[in-house]
Amino acid sequence: GLLDSATLRGLAELGLGPQPLPLLEAMVAAQLGRPRVRLLTARRQAHPYDRPALTTAGRHLVCGTAADDTGRARDYAFFVKVVQAWRRSPLSAEVPEPLRTRLTPLMPWRTEPDIYRGDLRRRLPRGLRLPHAYHVTDLDAESAAIWLERVPARRVRWDLSRHRHAAHLLGRLAASPSV
C-alpha cells in the first residue's frame, strides 16, 4: 500500500473523514508511543470471519509502515469493526416484515461503540481488559466504525484451570458494582 487515492478513499470509508492522513498518523503515533509519525504505507484488507453477524457490517485490518520522529520505519496495525443497525443486514430480510419492526429495539447495535466511547475499561475488575480503542465514529445514523488495537490470536489449551479462572473473572465482572 502506497498512499494513493484509492487507499485514502478506503480509509475515509472507515470513518477517518475526507482527509484521513492526519487522524491516522495521530492514531499510529499513539499506538507506537511516539510524538509524531509520517505514514509511508497503508493497506486496508477485509479480515476473514466465517460467521454471519446481524449487527456487523465488516471487519478490516488496516496496517502499514510509518517513519517515527527518529526516522525509523515502524509497522502498525489496527482492527476496524463496522457495526450497523440489524435491519441493514442481509439476514434481516429472512425475518417477516411485521416481526422485523418489533425486533428492531431488541437488537441494540450501538452497544459496542458506546462501550468503547465510555469508561468501562477503567472500571473492569483486575485481570480483564478491553482492546484499546483508538477511534470510534458514527458513519451515519445507523452505523459506526471502531478502530481497535490488533490483538493477535493465540492458540491456548482450555483446561479445567483456565476455565475456572475465566469463570472467576466473569463472576467478578457480573458482581462488580462499578460496572
Side-chain angles (χ1 to χ4, degrees):
L2 298 176
L3 299 172
D4 59 17
S5 61
T7 300
L8 296 176
R9 247 189 333 276
L11 294 171
E13 290 169 2
L14 293 177
L16 296 188
Q19 301 293 322
L21 285 182
L23 183 51
L24 183 55
E25 284 179 337
M27 292 189 310
V28 171
Q31 185 180 85
L32 299 177
R34 305 304 302 178
R36 66 190 159 282
V37 299
R38 181 177 47 84
L39 291 182
L40 303 173
T41 64
R43 186 174 74 249
R44 170 191 169 177
Q45 62 193 55
H47 183 74
Y49 193 78
D50 61 355
R51 292 184 178 88
L54 291 174
T55 60
T56 301
R59 297 167 191 88
H60 308 271
L61 182 64
V62 174
C63 56
T65 57
D68 67 17
D69 53 311
T70 69
R72 182 174 155 218
R74 311 254 318 257
D75 294 333
Y76 67 88
F78 298 94
F79 178 77
V80 185
K81 185 173 182 183
V82 177
V83 295
Q84 65 184 357
W86 87 279
R87 71 172 149 246
R88 287 190 174 177
S89 169
L91 298 174
S92 71
E94 304 297 319
V95 177
E97 180 54 48
L99 196 53
R100 230 182 283 166
T101 304
R102 291 189 8 223
L103 286 174
T104 297
L106 302 175
M107 301 286 194
W109 70 271
R110 287 190 175 277
T111 302
E112 196 169 359
D114 288 347
I115 285 172
Y116 284 107
R117 284 181 174 124
D119 67 346
L120 177 62
R121 78 183 72 72
R122 290 190 295 275
R123 295 187 287 129
L124 288 173
R126 183 177 302 179
L128 292 177
R129 77 174 198 88
L130 292 171
H132 182 79
Y134 289 92
H135 184 59
V136 181
T137 187
D138 291 333
L139 300 175
D140 57 40
E142 293 193 328
S143 65
I146 307 164
W147 287 70
L148 300 166
E149 72 175 295
R150 182 174 181 224
V151 179
R154 292 186 305 141
R155 293 194 87 54
V156 296
R157 185 168 177 267
W158 277 84
D159 56 13
L160 184 57
S161 173
R162 189 176 296 273
H163 277 94
R164 281 185 179 143
H165 183 64
H168 172 75
L169 291 173
L170 291 173
R172 287 181 54 219
L173 172 67
S176 173
S178 67
V179 178

